[in-house]
Amino acid sequence: MNNVIFAVVVLGVMGAVFGALLAFASKVFHVEQDPRIDEILAVLPGANCGGCGYAGCSNCASEIVAGHAKVSACPVGGAAVAAKVAAIMGVEAGSVDRLVAHVGCRGGENAKRKYDYSGIQDCVAASKVAGGPLECTFGCLGLGSCVKACKYNAIHVENGVAVVHADNCVACGACVAACPRHLISIVSEKQDVFVSCSSKLKGAELRKICNIGCIGCGLCTKKCPTGAITVTDNLASIDYSKCINCGACAEVCPRHLIVNASESKAQTVVDQQQQ
Amino acid sequence: MTFTGLVSIALGAILINNFIFSQFLGICPFMGVSKKMDTATGMGLAVIFVMGLASALCYLVNRFILTKLGLEYLQTLAYILVIAALVQFVEMFLKKGMPALYQALGIYLPLITTNCAVLGVVLLNTQYNYNFIESLIYGITGGVGFLVAIVLFASIREHLVFAEYPKSFEGFPIALVTAGLLALSFMGFSGLKIW
């Protein structure tokens, strides 16, 4: 019996000593941390998706408090979270546009194939085989690396090309990183017109290999009332700080690659209903 | 205690009696955090750190408290107590003293409290009657062995994404098969001898 009591006492004393040491250490090594960091962490979504560009939500919160990140840094939370964070930080949130991903290619079945690819169903792997199965070295391979990267079921391959479903998209940027051809960008949801081609090939070359690629004809630049469109490297690009979403370019484009997102969204809805 | 003795302890801990592949200790973090190379490296470094410190501290506790009081049978309990307190303390210390290292080790440091490889290394130190220096070397190199194992495994798992295997093997089954093959290949080191 004495043995038992002795053992209990010794371990108890050891535990108490360690406990006391830890209590003492927590005072000595106490790091002053801004209480706002924990408050902000509580209102962030907590998915640790890394869409903000920081290593997880707690890192994002400390960067916001440090002033390195905006109160609207979290693309997943959007305006609602930005408003709460702004309240904690005591600043105005400003208007925060919801962001969505956008795929800069509509090639798919319109683009000519170089060869039949039957290897690993992954864009990165396919792009390593003789520059990819498409004749166009800029186009979407349609093997769905972005689909696998998306945690929110917001991107799908339709007719051989990746399409973003804006309703599900949280602009975390996972698909942007996954695409070996760098076709996906994060844009404001309010933005309506897009140049859905990323090819920098010359018009004559591109005409042979894709029915829907930009040939750099420049009709859109002439038609644009605000001068927002420029053609560089045989590819039209829209300066969204000037664009007023009038859709004049979409009407005039002879290759129908400048698209109104709202109209094409309606189109996919009709397609789905037909199915 | 000769230099050769220390080298053979080190070599034994890293290759021949690798904690993961021969002694099957610390399998949980080995399977859990080996999906990506950088997390695997972080975990490995944290294990080296904690194993080294725990070996030294547990040796002192055993030598100057337990043996003196004739309480050797309490080793396992006492070591768990020491490791848990140590990890807490180290975390606090790093947060204050070395924020960069604290950031690098991140979440893995507190996770190690429950890593059986750490408890294993201190119990083995006692079992083999290692002295202070030998215990320290065995702890650190045991951690190095863990790092080698988890980094090798993580690099293979990253490549597994492109491998073709039956659907039913997806995820953990194929990882376990891979770990088994890797362990088998480490058996090749068992013939290794120094002098």
Side-chain angles (χ1 to χ4, degrees), chain B residues 10-191:
Chain B
L11 212 56
I14 297 174
L15 296 176
I16 305 161
N17 288 319
N18 187 295
F19 271 83
I20 302 275
F21 292 137
S22 317
Q23 319 207 34
F24 308 115
L25 291 169
I27 299 292
C28 171
F30 177 68
M31 299 304 290
V33 293
S34 57
K35 279 195 193 120
K36 274 190 190 159
M37 200 69 154
D38 48 349
T39 53
T41 320
M43 185 72 190
L45 290 176
V47 168
I48 296 180
F49 194 71
V50 174
M51 269 192 175
L53 278 174
S55 297
L57 203 67
C58 288
Y59 173 82
L60 296 178
V61 166
N62 185 44
R63 175 84 194 276
F64 294 108
I65 300 177
L66 297 182
T67 326
K68 284 269 153 72
L69 300 174
L71 287 172
E72 285 94 341
Y73 62 89
L74 283 180
Q75 270 163 4
T76 310
L77 268 180
Y79 289 171
I80 290 175
L81 195 65
V82 171
I83 292 168
L86 175 75
V87 172
Q88 290 289 319
F89 179 81
V90 165
E91 199 190 352
M92 279 184 233
F93 175 76
L94 286 185
K95 202 172 181 182
K96 177 83 174 181
M98 291 176 245
L101 190 60
Y102 178 76
Q103 285 278 336
L105 298 183
I107 184 79
Y108 304 112
L109 198 55
L111 279 180
I112 290 171
T113 324
T114 49
N115 185 343
C116 66
V118 180
L119 183 63
V121 81
V122 291
L123 284 173
L124 285 174
N125 277 334
T126 320
Q127 201 179 317
Y128 296 157
N129 276 325
Y130 282 158
N131 65 24
F132 184 74
I133 302 287
E134 284 169 338
S135 298
L136 194 61
I137 295 285
Y138 191 59
I140 292 172
T141 51
V144 173
F146 183 91
L147 176 74
V148 169
I150 200 167
V151 166
L152 279 177
F153 189 51
S155 64
I156 294 177
R157 271 184 100 171
E158 282 187 352
H159 284 85
L160 271 183
V161 176
F162 295 127
E164 279 183 32
Y165 42 78
K167 185 103 182 146
S168 55
F169 274 89
E170 235 164 59
F172 265 100
I174 193 72
L176 284 168
V177 171
T178 316
L181 290 174
L182 207 54
L184 214 57
S185 73
F186 259 68
M187 279 180 74
F189 289 116
S190 64

Side-chain angles (χ1 to χ4, degrees), chain A residues 84-119:
Chain A
K84 285 183 201 161
V85 175
I88 295 167
M89 291 295 289
V91 294
E92 289 287 320
S95 65
V96 182
D97 286 347
R98 203 171 90 88
L99 298 173
V100 292
H102 179 257
V103 183
C105 178
R106 294 231 157 176
E109 284 159 10
N110 293 305
K112 231 188 196 173
R113 307 264 141 184
K114 207 187 287 174
Y115 56 86
D116 270 337
Y117 179 76
S118 60

Side-chain angles (χ1 to χ4, degrees), chain A residues 115 123-132 141:
Chain A
Y115 56 86
C123 300
V124 183
S127 66
K128 303 274 189 218
V129 184
L141 299 168

